[in-house]
Amino acid sequence: YSFTAENMTADTSLAVLLLGDVNRDGKVNNLDAIQAHAACLDKIELNARQTLVADINGNGKLEVMDITQLRAAILGKISLSW
């Protein structure tokens, strides 16, 4: 993948996020699903970036459907895309 960032200054930051990578280790796997599930049950709190990548369906909320889709992606049944 490649991209171009325009109008950036020295104090601008850029974050590249992988949809589904809740624990931010560069992979989408069961550890991400476990963490997202725990957050969905209010057992842990995710930061803003983690919440963004855990919201698989992009509706702005972390719900059971996000966990279901994340697990399906891990099993190779669906592809994740922004």
Side-chain angles (χ1 to χ4, degrees):
Y1 300 99
S2 65
F3 61 91
T4 302
E6 297 178 5
N7 301 324
M8 294 187 72
T9 62
D11 62 338
T12 303
S13 64
L14 177 69
V16 177
L17 305 174
L18 177 61
L19 186 61
D21 183 17
V22 180
N23 65 4
R24 300 181 63 202
D25 66 354
K27 300 174 276 195
V28 178
N29 56 33
N30 279 327
L31 296 176
D32 300 299
I34 290 166
Q35 202 166 13
H37 189 225
C40 192
L41 296 173
D42 290 326
K43 297 195 181 256
I44 64 169
E45 190 172 325
L46 300 178
N47 66 35
R49 288 183 180 169
Q50 289 174 304
T51 301
L52 180 65
V53 299
D55 181 18
I56 304 300
N57 63 14
N59 70 351
K61 299 178 276 188
L62 179 57
E63 303 170 312
V64 173
M65 182 54 73
D66 296 304
I67 311 306
T68 301
Q69 289 179 318
L70 181 54
R71 290 190 185 279
I74 292 165
L75 293 173
K77 296 183 180 210
I78 66 168
S79 296
L80 298 180
S81 63
W82 290 95

mmCIF file of all heavy atoms in Angstrom, residues 30-65:
data_model
loop_
_atom_site.group_PDB
_atom_site.id
_atom_site.type_symbol
_atom_site.label_atom_id
_atom_site.label_comp_id
_atom_site.label_asym_id
_atom_site.label_seq_id
_atom_site.Cartn_x
_atom_site.Cartn_y
_atom_site.Cartn_z
ATOM 1 N N ASN A 30 -7.005 -13.726 17.396
ATOM 2 C CA ASN A 30 -7.907 -13.960 18.525
ATOM 3 C C ASN A 30 -7.654 -13.034 19.704
ATOM 4 O O ASN A 30 -8.584 -12.728 20.456
ATOM 5 C CB ASN A 30 -7.822 -15.422 18.987
ATOM 6 C CG ASN A 30 -8.660 -16.332 18.136
ATOM 7 O OD1 ASN A 30 -9.708 -15.931 17.642
ATOM 8 N ND2 ASN A 30 -8.214 -17.556 17.954
ATOM 9 N N LEU A 31 -6.434 -12.571 19.886
ATOM 10 C CA LEU A 31 -6.160 -11.638 20.974
ATOM 11 C C LEU A 31 -6.953 -10.346 20.788
ATOM 12 O O LEU A 31 -7.444 -9.770 21.767
ATOM 13 C CB LEU A 31 -4.665 -11.348 21.063
ATOM 14 C CG LEU A 31 -3.771 -12.537 21.411
ATOM 15 C CD1 LEU A 31 -2.309 -12.133 21.368
ATOM 16 C CD2 LEU A 31 -4.134 -13.112 22.768
ATOM 17 N N ASP A 32 -7.105 -9.919 19.556
ATOM 18 C CA ASP A 32 -7.903 -8.728 19.268
ATOM 19 C C ASP A 32 -9.384 -8.979 19.557
ATOM 20 O O ASP A 32 -10.064 -8.128 20.132
ATOM 21 C CB ASP A 32 -7.723 -8.309 17.807
ATOM 22 C CG ASP A 32 -6.281 -7.991 17.492
ATOM 23 O OD1 ASP A 32 -5.727 -7.071 18.112
ATOM 24 O OD2 ASP A 32 -5.706 -8.681 16.633
ATOM 25 N N ALA A 33 -9.873 -10.147 19.163
ATOM 26 C CA ALA A 33 -11.276 -10.484 19.407
ATOM 27 C C ALA A 33 -11.560 -10.571 20.904
ATOM 28 O O ALA A 33 -12.608 -10.111 21.369
ATOM 29 C CB ALA A 33 -11.629 -11.801 18.712
ATOM 30 N N ILE A 34 -10.633 -11.139 21.654
ATOM 31 C CA ILE A 34 -10.810 -11.250 23.105
ATOM 32 C C ILE A 34 -10.867 -9.859 23.732
ATOM 33 O O ILE A 34 -11.727 -9.575 24.580
ATOM 34 C CB ILE A 34 -9.682 -12.100 23.719
ATOM 35 C CG1 ILE A 34 -9.842 -13.558 23.297
ATOM 36 C CG2 ILE A 34 -9.649 -11.962 25.240
ATOM 37 C CD1 ILE A 34 -8.625 -14.424 23.564
ATOM 38 N N GLN A 35 -9.963 -8.990 23.326
ATOM 39 C CA GLN A 35 -9.927 -7.642 23.888
ATOM 40 C C GLN A 35 -11.187 -6.857 23.506
ATOM 41 O O GLN A 35 -11.771 -6.170 24.342
ATOM 42 C CB GLN A 35 -8.674 -6.919 23.415
ATOM 43 C CG GLN A 35 -8.274 -5.785 24.298
ATOM 44 C CD GLN A 35 -6.868 -5.288 24.019
ATOM 45 O OE1 GLN A 35 -6.251 -5.624 23.017
ATOM 46 N NE2 GLN A 35 -6.353 -4.482 24.916
ATOM 47 N N ALA A 36 -11.619 -6.961 22.268
ATOM 48 C CA ALA A 36 -12.833 -6.268 21.825
ATOM 49 C C ALA A 36 -14.059 -6.804 22.556
ATOM 50 O O ALA A 36 -14.936 -6.036 22.956
ATOM 51 C CB ALA A 36 -13.000 -6.423 20.313
ATOM 52 N N HIS A 37 -14.100 -8.112 22.747
ATOM 53 C CA HIS A 37 -15.224 -8.724 23.458
ATOM 54 C C HIS A 37 -15.273 -8.235 24.897
ATOM 55 O O HIS A 37 -16.350 -7.892 25.418
ATOM 56 C CB HIS A 37 -15.101 -10.247 23.396
ATOM 57 C CG HIS A 37 -16.303 -10.960 23.897
ATOM 58 N ND1 HIS A 37 -16.217 -12.036 24.736
ATOM 59 C CD2 HIS A 37 -17.630 -10.749 23.697
ATOM 60 C CE1 HIS A 37 -17.437 -12.458 25.032
ATOM 61 N NE2 HIS A 37 -18.303 -11.695 24.416
ATOM 62 N N ALA A 38 -14.128 -8.180 25.561
ATOM 63 C CA ALA A 38 -14.070 -7.686 26.940
ATOM 64 C C ALA A 38 -14.541 -6.235 27.014
ATOM 65 O O ALA A 38 -15.257 -5.848 27.939
ATOM 66 C CB ALA A 38 -12.653 -7.826 27.488
ATOM 67 N N ALA A 39 -14.168 -5.436 26.030
ATOM 68 C CA ALA A 39 -14.604 -4.039 26.005
ATOM 69 C C ALA A 39 -16.107 -3.942 25.764
ATOM 70 O O ALA A 39 -16.793 -3.112 26.367
ATOM 71 C CB ALA A 39 -13.844 -3.267 24.936
ATOM 72 N N CYS A 40 -16.617 -4.800 24.910
ATOM 73 C CA CYS A 40 -18.046 -4.821 24.616
ATOM 74 C C CYS A 40 -18.849 -5.148 25.883
ATOM 75 O O CYS A 40 -19.956 -4.650 26.072
ATOM 76 C CB CYS A 40 -18.321 -5.839 23.519
ATOM 77 S SG CYS A 40 -19.965 -5.737 22.806
ATOM 78 N N LEU A 41 -18.271 -5.966 26.752
ATOM 79 C CA LEU A 41 -18.918 -6.345 28.013
ATOM 80 C C LEU A 41 -18.594 -5.370 29.152
ATOM 81 O O LEU A 41 -18.937 -5.618 30.294
ATOM 82 C CB LEU A 41 -18.485 -7.760 28.422
ATOM 83 C CG LEU A 41 -18.899 -8.878 27.482
ATOM 84 C CD1 LEU A 41 -18.268 -10.197 27.921
ATOM 85 C CD2 LEU A 41 -20.419 -9.000 27.423
ATOM 86 N N ASP A 42 -17.912 -4.264 28.831
ATOM 87 C CA ASP A 42 -17.499 -3.250 29.808
ATOM 88 C C ASP A 42 -16.563 -3.793 30.879
ATOM 89 O O ASP A 42 -16.532 -3.291 31.997
ATOM 90 C CB ASP A 42 -18.716 -2.585 30.466
ATOM 91 C CG ASP A 42 -19.471 -1.693 29.507
ATOM 92 O OD1 ASP A 42 -18.828 -1.083 28.637
ATOM 93 O OD2 ASP A 42 -20.712 -1.608 29.635
ATOM 94 N N LYS A 43 -15.774 -4.797 30.532
ATOM 95 C CA LYS A 43 -14.785 -5.338 31.460
ATOM 96 C C LYS A 43 -13.459 -4.593 31.369
ATOM 97 O O LYS A 43 -12.706 -4.554 32.332
ATOM 98 C CB LYS A 43 -14.588 -6.827 31.233
ATOM 99 C CG LYS A 43 -15.856 -7.618 31.515
ATOM 100 C CD LYS A 43 -15.579 -9.082 31.634
ATOM 101 C CE LYS A 43 -16.881 -9.800 31.893
ATOM 102 N NZ LYS A 43 -17.009 -10.207 33.252
ATOM 103 N N ILE A 44 -13.186 -4.024 30.195
ATOM 104 C CA ILE A 44 -12.001 -3.176 30.005
ATOM 105 C C ILE A 44 -12.425 -1.953 29.216
ATOM 106 O O ILE A 44 -13.488 -1.938 28.585
ATOM 107 C CB ILE A 44 -10.850 -3.910 29.269
ATOM 108 C CG1 ILE A 44 -11.259 -4.275 27.838
ATOM 109 C CG2 ILE A 44 -10.381 -5.132 30.052
ATOM 110 C CD1 ILE A 44 -10.104 -4.748 26.978
ATOM 111 N N GLU A 45 -11.589 -0.936 29.237
ATOM 112 C CA GLU A 45 -11.852 0.271 28.474
ATOM 113 C C GLU A 45 -10.803 0.407 27.375
ATOM 114 O O GLU A 45 -9.610 0.251 27.636
ATOM 115 C CB GLU A 45 -11.803 1.486 29.399
ATOM 116 C CG GLU A 45 -12.293 2.752 28.750
ATOM 117 C CD GLU A 45 -12.404 3.893 29.740
ATOM 118 O OE1 GLU A 45 -12.743 3.647 30.907
ATOM 119 O OE2 GLU A 45 -12.140 5.036 29.326
ATOM 120 N N LEU A 46 -11.260 0.685 26.168
ATOM 121 C CA LEU A 46 -10.360 0.884 25.040
ATOM 122 C C LEU A 46 -10.104 2.371 24.861
ATOM 123 O O LEU A 46 -10.972 3.195 25.154
ATOM 124 C CB LEU A 46 -10.973 0.329 23.750
ATOM 125 C CG LEU A 46 -11.315 -1.154 23.714
ATOM 126 C CD1 LEU A 46 -11.954 -1.513 22.372
ATOM 127 C CD2 LEU A 46 -10.094 -2.005 23.978
ATOM 128 N N ASN A 47 -8.910 2.706 24.343
ATOM 129 C CA ASN A 47 -8.663 4.109 24.022
ATOM 130 C C ASN A 47 -9.337 4.430 22.683
ATOM 131 O O ASN A 47 -9.928 3.560 22.036
ATOM 132 C CB ASN A 47 -7.163 4.424 24.033
ATOM 133 C CG ASN A 47 -6.382 3.722 22.943
ATOM 134 O OD1 ASN A 47 -6.856 3.515 21.826
ATOM 135 N ND2 ASN A 47 -5.151 3.340 23.248
ATOM 136 N N ALA A 48 -9.248 5.681 22.257
ATOM 137 C CA ALA A 48 -9.961 6.119 21.056
ATOM 138 C C ALA A 48 -9.531 5.364 19.802
ATOM 139 O O ALA A 48 -10.371 4.968 18.985
ATOM 140 C CB ALA A 48 -9.766 7.623 20.852
ATOM 141 N N ARG A 49 -8.230 5.132 19.644
ATOM 142 C CA ARG A 49 -7.757 4.400 18.452
ATOM 143 C C ARG A 49 -8.192 2.948 18.489
ATOM 144 O O ARG A 49 -8.572 2.379 17.464
ATOM 145 C CB ARG A 49 -6.246 4.514 18.328
ATOM 146 C CG ARG A 49 -5.805 5.886 17.908
ATOM 147 C CD ARG A 49 -4.327 5.973 17.724
ATOM 148 N NE ARG A 49 -3.959 7.323 17.317
ATOM 149 C CZ ARG A 49 -2.741 7.761 17.274
ATOM 150 N NH1 ARG A 49 -1.730 6.958 17.593
ATOM 151 N NH2 ARG A 49 -2.485 8.991 16.900
ATOM 152 N N GLN A 50 -8.128 2.326 19.644
ATOM 153 C CA GLN A 50 -8.575 0.933 19.769
ATOM 154 C C GLN A 50 -10.065 0.822 19.461
ATOM 155 O O GLN A 50 -10.497 -0.106 18.775
ATOM 156 C CB GLN A 50 -8.299 0.405 21.172
ATOM 157 C CG GLN A 50 -6.842 0.168 21.465
ATOM 158 C CD GLN A 50 -6.639 -0.217 22.912
ATOM 159 O OE1 GLN A 50 -7.035 0.504 23.818
ATOM 160 N NE2 GLN A 50 -6.022 -1.366 23.118
ATOM 161 N N THR A 51 -10.838 1.771 19.951
ATOM 162 C CA THR A 51 -12.280 1.762 19.688
ATOM 163 C C THR A 51 -12.552 1.924 18.200
ATOM 164 O O THR A 51 -13.420 1.248 17.640
ATOM 165 C CB THR A 51 -12.971 2.874 20.486
ATOM 166 O OG1 THR A 51 -12.717 2.661 21.884
ATOM 167 C CG2 THR A 51 -14.467 2.873 20.254
ATOM 168 N N LEU A 52 -11.794 2.787 17.541
ATOM 169 C CA LEU A 52 -11.963 2.998 16.106
ATOM 170 C C LEU A 52 -11.717 1.719 15.322
ATOM 171 O O LEU A 52 -12.512 1.355 14.450
ATOM 172 C CB LEU A 52 -11.017 4.103 15.633
ATOM 173 C CG LEU A 52 -11.061 4.451 14.154
ATOM 174 C CD1 LEU A 52 -12.414 5.044 13.778
ATOM 175 C CD2 LEU A 52 -9.950 5.424 13.815
ATOM 176 N N VAL A 53 -10.637 0.994 15.617
ATOM 177 C CA VAL A 53 -10.329 -0.225 14.862
ATOM 178 C C VAL A 53 -11.205 -1.405 15.274
ATOM 179 O O VAL A 53 -11.341 -2.366 14.519
ATOM 180 C CB VAL A 53 -8.831 -0.603 14.932
ATOM 181 C CG1 VAL A 53 -7.972 0.484 14.343
ATOM 182 C CG2 VAL A 53 -8.395 -0.951 16.333
ATOM 183 N N ALA A 54 -11.806 -1.339 16.457
ATOM 184 C CA ALA A 54 -12.707 -2.409 16.900
ATOM 185 C C ALA A 54 -14.112 -2.253 16.315
ATOM 186 O O ALA A 54 -14.872 -3.227 16.249
ATOM 187 C CB ALA A 54 -12.792 -2.434 18.428
ATOM 188 N N ASP A 55 -14.446 -1.062 15.871
ATOM 189 C CA ASP A 55 -15.766 -0.791 15.287
ATOM 190 C C ASP A 55 -15.771 -1.263 13.835
ATOM 191 O O ASP A 55 -15.674 -0.483 12.896
ATOM 192 C CB ASP A 55 -16.078 0.702 15.379
ATOM 193 C CG ASP A 55 -17.434 1.063 14.809
ATOM 194 O OD1 ASP A 55 -18.280 0.168 14.650
ATOM 195 O OD2 ASP A 55 -17.637 2.249 14.506
ATOM 196 N N ILE A 56 -15.872 -2.550 13.662
ATOM 197 C CA ILE A 56 -15.721 -3.187 12.348
ATOM 198 C C ILE A 56 -16.761 -2.698 11.347
ATOM 199 O O ILE A 56 -16.447 -2.460 10.186
ATOM 200 C CB ILE A 56 -15.784 -4.728 12.471
ATOM 201 C CG1 ILE A 56 -14.729 -5.241 13.455
ATOM 202 C CG2 ILE A 56 -15.645 -5.398 11.103
ATOM 203 C CD1 ILE A 56 -13.302 -4.921 13.093
ATOM 204 N N ASN A 57 -18.008 -2.540 11.776
ATOM 205 C CA ASN A 57 -19.040 -2.120 10.830
ATOM 206 C C ASN A 57 -19.115 -0.602 10.672
ATOM 207 O O ASN A 57 -19.893 -0.097 9.879
ATOM 208 C CB ASN A 57 -20.406 -2.708 11.193
ATOM 209 C CG ASN A 57 -20.925 -2.249 12.536
ATOM 210 O OD1 ASN A 57 -20.423 -1.295 13.127
ATOM 211 N ND2 ASN A 57 -21.937 -2.933 13.040
ATOM 212 N N GLY A 58 -18.304 0.137 11.430
ATOM 213 C CA GLY A 58 -18.182 1.572 11.231
ATOM 214 C C GLY A 58 -19.377 2.404 11.644
ATOM 215 O O GLY A 58 -19.532 3.531 11.180
ATOM 216 N N ASN A 59 -20.200 1.896 12.557
ATOM 217 C CA ASN A 59 -21.376 2.665 12.965
ATOM 218 C C ASN A 59 -21.113 3.560 14.184
ATOM 219 O O ASN A 59 -22.025 4.179 14.708
ATOM 220 C CB ASN A 59 -22.571 1.745 13.227
ATOM 221 C CG ASN A 59 -22.418 0.888 14.466
ATOM 222 O OD1 ASN A 59 -21.355 0.840 15.078
ATOM 223 N ND2 ASN A 59 -23.470 0.196 14.827
ATOM 224 N N GLY A 60 -19.861 3.605 14.636
ATOM 225 C CA GLY A 60 -19.519 4.481 15.747
ATOM 226 C C GLY A 60 -19.692 3.881 17.123
ATOM 227 O O GLY A 60 -19.453 4.551 18.120
ATOM 228 N N LYS A 61 -20.093 2.615 17.185
ATOM 229 C CA LYS A 61 -20.302 1.942 18.466
ATOM 230 C C LYS A 61 -19.655 0.560 18.433
ATOM 231 O O LYS A 61 -19.638 -0.087 17.393
ATOM 232 C CB LYS A 61 -21.799 1.765 18.752
ATOM 233 C CG LYS A 61 -22.578 3.061 18.841
ATOM 234 C CD LYS A 61 -24.043 2.798 19.077
ATOM 235 C CE LYS A 61 -24.702 2.528 17.734
ATOM 236 N NZ LYS A 61 -26.151 2.438 17.789
ATOM 237 N N LEU A 62 -19.139 0.123 19.563
ATOM 238 C CA LEU A 62 -18.622 -1.241 19.677
ATOM 239 C C LEU A 62 -19.757 -2.132 20.159
ATOM 240 O O LEU A 62 -20.279 -1.941 21.257
ATOM 241 C CB LEU A 62 -17.440 -1.295 20.648
ATOM 242 C CG LEU A 62 -16.825 -2.673 20.881
ATOM 243 C CD1 LEU A 62 -16.362 -3.294 19.568
ATOM 244 C CD2 LEU A 62 -15.691 -2.589 21.864
ATOM 245 N N GLU A 63 -20.152 -3.067 19.308
ATOM 246 C CA GLU A 63 -21.302 -3.932 19.593
ATOM 247 C C GLU A 63 -20.957 -5.384 19.281
ATOM 248 O O GLU A 63 -19.907 -5.675 18.693
ATOM 249 C CB GLU A 63 -22.492 -3.509 18.722
ATOM 250 C CG GLU A 63 -22.892 -2.069 18.903
ATOM 251 C CD GLU A 63 -23.907 -1.620 17.856
ATOM 252 O OE1 GLU A 63 -23.699 -1.884 16.662
ATOM 253 O OE2 GLU A 63 -24.895 -1.010 18.261
ATOM 254 N N VAL A 64 -21.854 -6.269 19.634
ATOM 255 C CA VAL A 64 -21.667 -7.701 19.398
ATOM 256 C C VAL A 64 -21.441 -7.985 17.912
ATOM 257 O O VAL A 64 -20.633 -8.847 17.567
ATOM 258 C CB VAL A 64 -22.872 -8.502 19.948
ATOM 259 C CG1 VAL A 64 -22.774 -9.968 19.564
ATOM 260 C CG2 VAL A 64 -22.963 -8.349 21.456
ATOM 261 N N MET A 65 -22.103 -7.256 17.032
ATOM 262 C CA MET A 65 -21.926 -7.483 15.593
ATOM 263 C C MET A 65 -20.480 -7.225 15.174
ATOM 264 O O MET A 65 -19.949 -7.933 14.316
ATOM 265 C CB MET A 65 -22.881 -6.601 14.779
ATOM 266 C CG MET A 65 -22.767 -6.829 13.278
ATOM 267 S SD MET A 65 -22.956 -8.559 12.757
ATOM 268 C CE MET A 65 -24.687 -8.789 12.981
#
